[in-house]
């Protein structure tokens, strides 16, 4: 067909896109997908055939990232109840967590959660989902007898939600025991695996139903894209129910963010190894400083959850926090003297990030919850990066000298 100028600007009449096989994953930045045959499109619409229709629903780059996360969470677990996993990618970790709760719980249902929860998850449950009749039971997940009591006596409990290691006190919770309690009572278990990443911890090995991530963090690793992921072993539920929530809530990721995530995941193993070895050295260094009253790092034998972390994790991760004897004022002073570490929220990036939970990530969390779970005014959280560890320790040492 001979086209006029205006049409040639818009169209590519002599070019098909399947002209080459890219070595790296392509960013498929297309809103919609076209077909030659209306029957083929109908079959996909009716769910009789797989295919891409519209990028809010699914997209080739997004699917590549989803498949990689599912493969990593299930790596080596093939023999665990013939485990098969399906992941769905979202616009953020909160998008994934919201979709997890919305797709599995209904008005009247209750979910058991810990007090040391990511601030956003706490607020989502207490401020938003509570308006839809979903009740969070915020309790001490380490007290297994109490969890057993609540779980078996309250028929409205539908889920135990675990974040381990947790934010910002690096407490660890026993995934296997909590799973056993939940399964006895026909309840679901979901784990926020953001701090550990699938390299360090694979909750499906213990029988959990879902894993969620803020893939903004270690999975991406470079601090350049926001995304979240929900992984499940009930493939039908992930393909139909979760898909329905994702496409109707519009909590989808984008091709570009998915691509950045895909690039980041290529170095997950080597990054995590360096994060772990740097964090242990920094924790030991901080532990020897007289201005610090407590270092929370689950890799230290003195940490109350060290043995549990050793059991359910391959290594101890890059996250730690510490309490300054001088409280809030000392914390502010320390942050003013930091030169290398970035003062910012977020975590899991190649560079070291430092923050003050009481005035930053946990500012929206009720004071009594913060007090009860050790989120003190003098607590500083560190996401130890992969820089040369001597430079990280120098920076922290100089700032501590200055307070
Ligand atoms: N879960 C944890 C443990 C987090 O630390 C965060 C964010 O910091 C989230 C979930 C939420 O993730 P996002 O910021 O990608 O929405």
């Amino acid at each position: 067909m001979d086209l006029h100028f205006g049409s040639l600007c818009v169209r590519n009449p002599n070019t098909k896109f399947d002209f080459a096989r890219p070595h790296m994953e392509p960013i498929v930045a297309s809103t919609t997908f076209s077909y030659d045959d209306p029957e083929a499109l109908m079959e996909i619409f009716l769910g009789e055939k797989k295919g891409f229709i519209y990028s809010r629903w699914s997209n080739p780059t997004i699917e590549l990232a989803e498949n990689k996360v599912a493969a990593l969470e299930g790596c080596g677990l093939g023999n665990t109840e013939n485990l098969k996993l399906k992941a769905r990618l979202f616009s953020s970790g909160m998008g994934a967590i919201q979709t997890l709760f919305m797709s599995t719980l209904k008005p009247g249902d209750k979910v058991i959660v810990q007090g040391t929860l990511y601030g956003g998850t706490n607020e989502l449950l207490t401020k938003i989902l509570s308006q839809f009749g979903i009740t969070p039971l915020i309790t001490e997940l380490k007290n297994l007898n109490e969890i057993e009591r609540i779980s078996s006596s309250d028929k409205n409990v539908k889920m135990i939600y675990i974040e381990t290691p947790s934010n910002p006190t690096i407490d660890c919770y026993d995934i296997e025991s909590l799973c056993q309690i939940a399964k006895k009572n026909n309840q679901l278990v979901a784990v926020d695996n953001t701090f550990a990443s699938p390299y360090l911890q694979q909750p499906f090995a213990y029988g959990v139903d879902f894993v969620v991530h803020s893939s903004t963090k270690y999975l991406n690793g470079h601090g350049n894209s926001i995304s979240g992921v929900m992984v499940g072993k009930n493939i039908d539920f992930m393909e139909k129910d979760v898909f329905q929530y994702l496409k109707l809530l519009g909590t989808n990721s984008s091709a570009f963010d998915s691509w950045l995530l895909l690039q980041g995941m290529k170095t997950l193993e080597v990054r995590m190894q360096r994060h772990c070895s740097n964090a242990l050295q920094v924790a030991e260094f901080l532990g020897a400083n007289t201005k610090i009253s407590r270092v929370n790092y689950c890799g230290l034998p003195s940490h109350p959850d060290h043995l549990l972390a050793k059991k359910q994790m391959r290594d101890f991760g890059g996250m730690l926090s510490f309490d300054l004897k001088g409280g809030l004022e000392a914390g502010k002073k320390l942050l003013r003297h930091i030169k290398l570490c970035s003062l910012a929220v977020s975590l899991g990036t190649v560079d070291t990030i430092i923050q003050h939970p009481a005035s930053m990530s946990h500012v929206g969390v009720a004071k009594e919850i913060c007090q009860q779970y050790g989120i003190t005014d003098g607590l500083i959280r560190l996401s130890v990066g992969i820089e040369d560890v001597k430079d990280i320790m120098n920076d922290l040492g100089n700032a501590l000298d200055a307070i």
Side-chain angles (χ1 to χ4, degrees):
M1 205 197 301
D2 275 342
L3 296 180
H4 293 94
F5 187 88
S7 302
L8 283 174
C9 288
V10 176
R11 299 276 169 178
N12 306 297
N14 301 316
T15 314
K16 285 260 183 224
F17 293 146
D18 51 356
F19 46 77
R21 204 174 121 194
H23 167 54
M24 297 305 280
E25 302 88 343
I27 305 173
V28 182
S30 184
T31 309
T32 189
F33 299 87
S34 58
Y35 288 81
D36 295 328
D37 175 11
E39 295 287 331
L41 195 54
M42 263 173 61
E43 282 171 357
I44 299 171
F45 256 107
L46 292 170
E48 291 165 1
K49 244 182 160 176
K50 282 200 185 297
F52 299 103
I53 295 179
Y54 186 59
S55 282
R56 171 158 53 81
W57 302 16
S58 188
N59 164 293
T61 317
I62 294 176
E63 194 174 90
L64 281 172
E66 289 173 340
N67 290 347
K68 184 166 297 218
V69 178
L72 294 176
E73 283 292 348
C75 178
L77 306 182
N79 291 332
T80 318
E81 314 165 17
N82 284 327
L83 184 73
K84 284 199 179 57
L85 298 177
K86 167 88 191 148
R88 290 273 180 205
L89 205 63
F90 295 87
S91 51
S92 65
M94 290 313 296
I97 294 168
Q98 172 208 344
T99 309
L100 165 78
F101 290 136
M102 301 264 305
S103 63
T104 53
L105 304 175
K106 55 182 192 329
D109 287 349
K110 296 181 183 170
V111 49
I112 298 178
V113 292
Q114 68 217 55
T116 55
L117 204 55
Y118 167 60
T121 310
N122 174 297
E123 287 190 71
L124 170 68
L125 284 161
T126 55
K127 297 182 180 163
I128 305 235
L129 293 176
S130 54
Q131 294 179 45
F132 295 88
I134 293 165
T135 307
L137 302 175
I138 301 175
T139 182
E140 176 50 91
L141 283 192
K142 287 184 193 173
N143 186 345
L144 296 176
N145 289 336
E146 178 63 2
I147 301 300
E148 170 88 66
R149 190 192 65 73
I150 305 173
S151 164
S152 59
S153 62
D154 189 337
K155 290 288 158 255
N156 291 325
V157 171
K158 292 288 152 56
M159 178 187 281
I160 301 182
Y161 181 89
I162 313 165
E163 187 188 305
T164 183
S166 73
N167 212 332
T169 47
I170 328 298
D171 284 88
C172 299
Y173 299 94
D174 188 336
I175 303 174
E176 187 170 26
S177 301
L178 289 164
C179 234
Q180 281 164 0
I181 294 173
K183 292 300 139 196
K184 250 196 279 169
N185 298 306
N186 256 329
Q187 291 148 356
L188 297 168
V189 180
V191 172
D192 183 333
N193 206 21
T194 299
F195 271 34
S197 89
Y199 174 67
L200 296 179
Q201 180 171 273
Q202 290 175 291
F204 287 104
Y206 302 105
V208 310
D209 302 282
F210 300 104
V211 162
V212 287
H213 279 275
S214 167
S215 36
T216 312
K217 310 293 172 0
Y218 285 105
L219 287 174
N220 164 275
H222 296 79
N224 54 16
S225 92
I226 299 262
S227 65
V229 66
M230 172 179 172
V231 192
K233 61 185 183 186
N234 181 339
I235 305 292
D236 202 47
F237 182 78
M238 293 302 294
E239 283 187 343
K240 296 196 180 121
D241 300 62
V242 176
F243 173 58
Q244 169 136 304
Y245 278 89
L246 181 153
K247 82 176 191 191
L248 297 180
L249 292 174
T251 45
N252 55 290
S253 185
S254 72
F256 187 51
D257 282 312
S258 311
W259 182 79
L260 288 166
L261 174 60
L262 274 166
Q263 303 318 304
M265 286 192 287
K266 290 175 204 247
T267 56
L268 180 67
E269 180 176 59
V270 285
R271 279 189 287 111
M272 290 316 293
Q273 289 169 351
R274 175 84 164 217
H275 281 299
C276 293
S277 83
N278 277 2
L280 179 61
Q281 291 174 76
V282 171
E284 285 168 346
F285 170 77
L286 293 173
N289 193 294
T290 52
K291 292 181 181 164
I292 291 173
S293 56
R294 182 170 52 116
V295 176
N296 303 312
Y297 182 60
C298 60
L300 292 176
S302 57
H303 188 282
D305 304 324
H306 178 63
L307 290 180
L308 172 64
K310 210 168 172 170
K311 181 194 134 200
Q312 65 189 22
M313 294 171 72
R314 183 200 292 262
D315 203 338
F316 304 103
M319 296 303 301
L320 62 87
S321 59
F322 55 95
D323 235 323
L324 288 166
K325 286 181 185 161
L328 184 61
E329 281 315 306
K332 280 196 211 154
K333 239 175 164 181
L334 179 95
L335 295 177
R336 274 200 294 272
H337 284 91
I338 286 292
K339 295 227 160 44
L340 174 82
C341 305
S342 313
L343 172 58
V345 290
S346 202
L347 59 105
T349 53
V350 286
D351 58 317
T352 300
I353 292 184
I354 192 162
Q355 72 120 329
H356 178 231
S359 67
M360 295 165 76
S361 60
H362 284 64
V363 80
V365 178
K367 262 261 161 294
E368 56 282 8
I369 293 284
C370 287
Q371 269 160 10
Q372 191 179 345
Y373 291 98
I375 307 162
T376 56
D377 282 350
L379 192 75
I380 301 288
R381 191 187 79 182
L382 204 61
S383 164
V384 181
I386 64 168
E387 300 98 334
D388 190 309
V389 72
K390 294 189 285 303
D391 292 326
I392 304 172
M393 293 193 295
N394 262 342
D395 192 33
L396 291 166
N398 290 339
L400 282 162
D401 285 347
I403 64 174

